[in-house]
């Protein structure tokens, strides 16, 4: 295989990997926005932080500890947006 063909193949591979990474980041960002909306809705309904974390754990099929970390991460990123 000549150099030009090899460079073209490597460029295509890099482009493909970049797109896949972009899609994954977009999905994660969308999930965070959705969960933030869920958190706000549950807060407006008067649920406590404990109840919200339990709901997140059920929704994400995760442990309470993982849901608590996620809640704190999403809530912290939301607070940064308000500053």
């Amino acid at each position: 295989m000549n150099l030009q063909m090899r460079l073209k193949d490597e460029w295509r591979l890099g482009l493909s990997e970049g797109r896949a990474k972009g899609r994954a980041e977009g999905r994660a960002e969308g999930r965070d926005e959705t969960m933030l909306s869920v958190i706000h809705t549950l807060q407006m309904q008067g649920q406590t932080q404990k109840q919200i974390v339990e709901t997140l754990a059920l929704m994400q099929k995760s442990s309470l500890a993982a849901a608590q970390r996620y809640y704190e991460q999403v809530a912290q990123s939301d607070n940064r947006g308000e500053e």
Side-chain angles (χ1 to χ4, degrees):
M1 187 185 296
N2 69 29
L3 179 60
Q4 188 175 17
M5 288 179 64
R6 199 167 60 204
L7 288 174
K8 193 172 188 178
D9 287 344
E10 289 179 14
W11 175 80
R12 285 183 183 149
L13 179 61
L15 185 61
S16 176
E17 289 172 353
R19 286 180 182 158
K21 182 179 177 185
R23 284 191 296 271
E25 289 171 358
R27 282 191 299 272
E29 187 176 315
R31 183 190 68 236
D32 290 348
E33 289 176 11
T34 299
M35 287 300 158
L36 185 57
S37 178
V38 168
I39 290 168
H40 284 162
T41 301
L42 295 175
Q43 287 171 335
M44 288 173 34
Q45 292 177 347
Q47 289 198 19
T48 65
Q49 179 177 340
K50 181 182 177 195
Q51 291 170 318
I52 294 170
V53 168
E54 289 171 352
T55 300
L56 292 176
L58 287 172
M59 290 177 70
Q60 297 179 329
K61 298 176 182 154
S62 66
S63 68
L64 288 174
Q68 179 66 42
R69 285 190 303 272
Y70 186 77
Y71 174 89
E72 291 167 359
Q73 171 194 345
V74 172
Q76 184 180 44
S77 69
D78 184 44
N79 288 338
R80 273 191 238 127
E82 294 175 359
E83 294 175 354

